[in-house]
């Protein structure tokens, strides 16, 4: 008898990583362009000396340090291989076949993938005309079968942010059987004081999980580590579905060192957000439409012109992330990287 791979996996969209071209300016994956601080690299080197040993199964030291860092008890925390893994574990913990997962579209491309992997149904609610979550539309999309709603704040790839009042109103209106997963991968780049801190929202709520990552502002994209803050019964289930020893020894050590070096790492965010405003301003002056961003990237809703824009930039060795037929997402890098992008954008025939 022949092997039978699950037929439904054929419909699963591939996660498309940013392209890497030798010598190019890479602005496609929302990474920070600055290497990790020396203390973090030293912690990784120290941990490397023991790679013949398994890491701590329960991430003990990292859990203690994260708990202290974010001011959340350990039973409300779960550590994972990046927030993508935590999103997948949250779905595995909450959903089975026949359940529904609601999210905005376009939003983070991992959401439909982690949903379909467990056989749940993805319910996409289109963004509003100004590229923001349609929270009323998302509420209307919730049914008795809905188990999880993803909200990325700020949203990837549009960079748009939801304000505290509108998000609180939404959370109050979501029925009790639904877990809202608030994805704050870019929280450290938020400059609008009206945007919420998810951990403050989570404090009084039993239907909210907040996921955060060390991949972006903390500069550890290559090591895959993040955390979730959620009610204890949810974190317990998230731990149950984890792959044993998934978070490796280097990642655990690096994340602890990154929190110890938080002052230095977070001080790198202001130059990025200043550059974000400069880049957006120049693009708007050139005649591009660019929604206001609260993340470390900008969104150019170019529609059918996206492919031509992407080709033009690639010819100038600037790699961005194109969503064909929709738009281009451009990470904010160092000033000279952004200048290379702006020069290429200026010569695009629009
Ligand atoms: C980059 C990103 C993440 C981070 O994923 P990791 O797995 O932690 O690297 C999570 N959510 C969104 C919306 C992102 O853009």
């Amino acid at each position: 008898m022949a092997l039978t791979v699950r037929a439904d996996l054929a419909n699963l969209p591939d996660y498309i990583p940013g392209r890497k071209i030798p010598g190019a300016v890479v602005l496609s994956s929302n990474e920070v362009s600055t290497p990790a601080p020396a203390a973090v690299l030293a912690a990784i080197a120290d941990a490397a000396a023991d790679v013949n040993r398994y890491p701590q199964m329960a991430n003990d030291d990292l859990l203690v340090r994260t708990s202290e860092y974010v001011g959340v008890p350990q039973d409300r925390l779960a550590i994972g291989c990046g927030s993508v893994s935590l999103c997948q574990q949250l779905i595995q913990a909450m959903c089975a076949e026949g359940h529904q997962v609601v999210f905005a579209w376009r939003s983070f491309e991992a959401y439909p993938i982690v949903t379909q992997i467990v056989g749940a149904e993805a319910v996409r609610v289109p963004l509003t005309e100004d590229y923001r979550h349609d929270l009323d539309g998302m509420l209307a999309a919730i049914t008795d079968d809905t188990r999880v709603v993803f909200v990325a704040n700020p949203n990837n790839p549009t960079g748009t942010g939801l304000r505290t009042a509108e998000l609180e109103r939404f959370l109050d209106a979501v029925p009790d059987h639904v877990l809202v997963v608030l994805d704050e991968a870019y929280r450290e780049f938020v400059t609008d004081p009206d945007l919420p801190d998810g951990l403050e929202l989570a404090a009084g709520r039993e239907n909210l999980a907040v996921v955060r990552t060390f991949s972006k502002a903390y500069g550890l994209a290559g090591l895959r580590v993040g955390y979730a803050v959620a009610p204890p019964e949810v974190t317990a289930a998230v731990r149950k579905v984890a792959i044993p020893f998934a978070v490796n020894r280097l990642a655990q050590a690096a994340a602890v060192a990154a929190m110890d070096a938080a002052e230095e790492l977070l001080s790198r965010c202001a130059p990025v957000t200043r550059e974000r405003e400069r880049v957006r301003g120049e693009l708007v002056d050139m005649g591009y439409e660019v929604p206001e961003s609260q993340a470390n990237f900008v969104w150019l809703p170019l529609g059918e012109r996206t492919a031509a824009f992407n080709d033009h930039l690639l010819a100038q060795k600037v790699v961005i992330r194109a969503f064909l037929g929709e738009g281009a997402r451009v990470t904010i890098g160092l000033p000279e990287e952004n200048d290379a992008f702006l020069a290429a954008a200026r010569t695009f025939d629009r």
Side-chain angles (χ1 to χ4, degrees), residues 74-318:
Q74 289 179 35
D75 66 347
R76 288 185 169 261
L77 274 173
I79 308 287
C81 288
S83 39
V84 170
S85 174
L86 289 161
C87 288
Q88 176 158 334
Q89 289 168 250
L90 282 161
I91 294 294
Q92 287 173 316
M94 302 299 298
C95 299
E97 217 159 308
H99 289 149
Q100 293 174 333
V101 177
V102 172
F103 47 84
W105 202 250
R106 184 171 276 279
S107 187
F108 190 34
E109 60 194 314
Y111 303 153
I113 299 174
V114 298
T115 299
Q116 279 174 248
I117 283 174
V118 300
E121 183 193 345
V123 178
R124 295 172 173 82
V125 178
L127 296 171
T128 61
E129 269 174 22
D130 47 357
Y131 313 103
R132 305 177 78 248
H133 280 69
D134 174 5
L135 291 178
D136 289 336
M138 292 174 75
L139 274 179
I142 292 172
T143 71
D144 289 347
D145 293 326
T146 307
R147 288 294 177 276
V148 172
V149 176
F150 281 114
V151 176
N153 196 36
N155 188 41
N156 176 3
T158 58
T160 48
L162 293 164
R163 297 191 186 88
T164 307
E166 57 187 332
L167 196 51
E168 279 183 334
R169 199 166 43 82
F170 174 78
L171 291 169
D172 289 343
V174 168
D176 289 343
H177 69 280
V178 175
L179 180 73
V180 177
V181 177
L182 181 64
D183 183 342
E184 292 194 320
Y186 302 98
R187 180 69 188 80
E188 296 80 8
F189 300 101
V190 168
T191 51
D192 181 345
D194 286 341
L195 261 57
D197 177 329
L199 297 184
E200 285 172 18
L201 292 178
R205 294 178 190 273
E206 293 306 309
N207 67 341
L208 179 61
V210 177
V211 293
R212 290 192 175 173
T213 180
F214 292 102
S215 295
K216 307 285 160 59
Y218 292 87
L220 297 179
L223 282 176
R224 320 297 308 118
V225 55
Y227 59 91
V229 174
E233 66 271 25
V234 174
T235 55
V238 162
R239 277 192 273 276
K240 283 200 176 159
V241 298
I243 294 168
F245 302 108
V247 182
N248 72 64
R249 180 178 279 280
L250 305 191
Q252 291 183 18
V256 169
M259 284 182 275
D260 292 344
E263 203 175 328
E264 176 179 354
L265 285 164
L266 297 180
S267 74
R268 296 169 168 190
C269 295
V272 172
T273 57
R274 276 198 297 272
E275 278 291 285
R276 174 184 78 203
E277 300 313 316
R278 177 179 78 91
V279 169
R280 176 169 181 270
E282 292 200 25
L283 289 169
V284 169
D285 287 346
M286 289 177 214
Y288 288 99
E289 180 185 7
V290 188
E292 269 182 49
S293 171
Q294 287 291 304
N296 67 337
F297 53 84
V298 290
W299 173 245
L300 287 77
L302 292 161
E304 295 309 318
R305 305 284 291 141
T306 305
F309 185 75
N310 189 43
D311 290 346
H312 177 77
L313 264 62
L314 280 177
Q316 332 264 325
K317 289 207 165 203
V318 177

